[in-house]
Amino acid sequence: MEKLRFAVVGCGNIGKRHIAVIDAEPEAELVALCDKDEERMKELGRNYSNVACYTSYQQLLAESNANIISICTPHGLHAEMSILAAQAGKQILVEKPMALNVADSTRMIEEAQKHGVNLYVVKQNRFNRPITLTQQALEEKRLGKVFMVQCNVLWNRHQRYYDESEWRGRKALEGGCLHTQVCHFLDLLTWWFGPLKEAHTILDTFNHEIEIEDCGVSALRFQSGILGSLTWTTCVYNVNYEGSITIIGEKGTIKIGGKYLNEIEFWDVQSYPLPQDVEYVDAPNIYAHYQGSSSNHNQLINQLVKQVIERRHGLVEGVEGRKTIEAIEMIYGGKHRH
């Protein structure tokens, strides 16, 4: 069987993760890289054989034989790059967030449909073992009626994290902390509890020289009636402290925690004990000065390859990915800034 051919656009931290995972996938082949920083791209490309390097995205789309374009560029570029890939007849894998607003997300979906290609959105935390256990409990309605959910994203980003980047902390290219640090958490909340109905939000910037918030709190109500609270910050001293989701239900309470949603911190569900043979091997992304969220990109790429080959569905596609952007817009839309 012919391997699926990938081109990775953007050779920064997350692009390097995609490149390494694609290279390790037996049914995938890395055929091209694209980055405006030619030196960085070619240095990275030397680690892989027979990989073409492009500084022009349009040239890559015109010349490369890639089946799938993996878009790992700054957030504000995702929409236009995805649309151009669709128009070139390429399958698309776009990193989170798929776009900075619902209108652009919709354009991406429509262009993919128009040109008969698939649009996939990276949501690798759905593969985390604590997430799959909780998903099963919710799917089987083991918690009965769910009343509330609490989500905390209490992380550290030093000022140099923003200073060393051309796009982090800039509203037009990053959007906000919800797009970068909280996107995966909101994906899980809307996956489990449905769309938001209302949000009441307070934002502020206390500890960084940036255009976006570094602290936020929001009271949420989902259309299902479930109440929620969301607290997020990049101001935690020194290192990431917690990334957690706590679910309060009629017949049980679950807290998924650790720093990266990689532990079950509390599990008390009626007649449904936590399996004793669970192994937690969800390792975090390691960058130069901090650790990111836990990474299951290898599982995502493996499933994407199988899905394309077998022409089936299951991964997060455009319409599902847009739900996170809808939630972000509602949370920021209900904001009060001090």
Side-chain angles (χ1 to χ4, degrees):
M1 185 179 297
E2 187 178 356
K3 294 182 178 181
L4 287 181
R5 300 180 299 276
F6 283 78
V8 176
V9 185
C11 295
N13 287 327
I14 201 65
K16 291 176 183 176
R17 164 74 63 172
H18 279 237
I19 291 164
V21 169
I22 290 164
D23 183 65
E25 170 56 47
E27 301 303 324
E29 180 183 3
L30 179 69
V31 298
L33 302 177
C34 183
D35 198 290
K36 66 179 184 179
D37 187 333
E38 187 173 9
E39 184 177 339
R40 176 175 69 174
M41 172 179 58
K42 287 188 173 180
E43 182 180 351
L44 184 61
R46 280 192 282 271
N47 298 321
Y48 305 93
S49 59
N50 301 318
V51 176
C53 292
Y54 298 88
T55 55
S56 165
Y57 182 56
Q58 286 81 358
Q59 186 180 359
L60 178 146
L61 292 177
E63 297 180 4
S64 173
N65 66 346
N67 308 112
I68 302 177
I69 308 298
S70 180
I71 298 173
C72 303
T73 54
H75 306 344
L77 304 178
H78 288 180
E80 290 305 320
M81 285 188 156
S82 296
I83 288 168
L84 288 171
Q87 292 170 348
K90 306 290 190 182
Q91 311 284 346
I92 304 147
L93 173 65
V94 61
E95 260 293 342
K96 60 85 180 171
M98 67 181 291
L100 292 182
N101 55 64
V102 173
D104 281 349
S105 301
T106 301
R107 288 173 56 221
M108 293 163 67
I109 293 165
E110 290 174 348
E111 285 296 314
Q113 292 172 343
K114 178 180 176 182
H115 294 280
V117 299
N118 292 318
L119 170 63
Y120 303 101
V121 185
V122 174
K123 301 290 185 182
Q124 81 277 2
N125 281 7
R126 290 194 181 197
F127 293 97
N128 287 16
R129 189 65 177 125
I131 302 303
T132 61
L133 288 169
T134 302
Q135 163 65 9
Q136 183 176 349
L138 289 168
E139 202 170 58
E140 296 176 3
K141 302 190 183 304
R142 298 285 187 162
L143 277 74
K145 182 179 180 181
V146 176
F147 306 128
M148 298 183 70
V149 59
Q150 178 191 57
C151 181
N152 293 325
V153 186
L154 310 177
W155 283 355
N156 161 269
R157 295 294 182 269
H158 297 295
Q159 182 63 41
R160 67 176 176 266
Y161 164 82
Y162 296 102
D163 292 343
E164 69 188 13
S165 167
E166 296 179 353
W167 63 274
R168 293 175 189 149
R170 299 187 179 184
K171 202 167 190 65
L173 286 174
E174 181 170 6
C177 282
L178 292 182
H179 293 93
T180 304
Q181 278 77 37
V182 189
C183 192
H184 287 309
F185 293 83
L186 287 171
D187 169 60
L188 297 173
L189 295 184
T190 54
W191 183 33
W192 288 338
F193 309 122
L196 289 178
K197 182 179 181 180
E198 58 182 310
H200 304 276
T201 306
I202 301 174
L203 306 175
D204 216 323
T205 308
F206 289 122
N207 201 39
H208 300 91
E209 295 295 324
I210 53 178
E211 297 174 358
I212 64 174
E213 86 283 0
D214 61 15
C215 289
V217 294
S218 191
L220 311 173
R221 185 187 294 273
F222 295 82
Q223 289 182 15
S224 58
I226 295 168
L227 296 182
S229 69
L230 175 64
T231 302
W232 71 98
T233 183
T234 55
C235 292
V236 172
Y237 172 70
N238 199 34
V239 295
N240 287 357
Y241 169 64
E242 176 181 312
S244 69
I245 296 175
T246 303
I247 304 168
I248 309 295
E250 175 188 12
K251 297 179 181 178
T253 306
I254 296 173
K255 181 177 182 181
I256 310 164
K259 295 179 181 178
Y260 316 103
L261 296 176
N262 57 345
E263 298 176 14
I264 295 284
E265 292 194 0
F266 189 81
W267 183 286
D268 182 18
V269 182
Q270 184 182 101
S271 303
Y272 195 65
L274 188 66
Q276 296 299 306
D277 58 347
V278 174
E279 292 186 14
Y280 301 104
V281 293
D282 304 304
N285 288 314
I286 309 292
Y287 300 131
H289 300 295
Y290 72 96
Q291 291 186 339
S293 59
S294 62
S295 174
N296 274 307
H297 282 86
N298 57 330
Q299 292 195 52
L300 183 139
I301 294 295
N302 176 265
Q303 289 300 310
L304 185 150
V305 168
K306 291 180 179 178
Q307 187 161 310
V308 172
I309 290 173
E310 297 170 12
R311 298 189 178 185
R312 58 181 171 83
H313 297 278
L315 290 180
V316 173
E317 298 187 43
V319 173
E320 181 74 5
R322 183 174 56 188
K323 294 176 182 178
T324 303
I325 310 304
E326 292 169 346
I328 289 173
E329 277 200 1
M330 180 163 286
I331 292 168
Y332 279 143
K335 71 183 177 184
H336 302 277
R337 192 176 185 104
H338 295 279

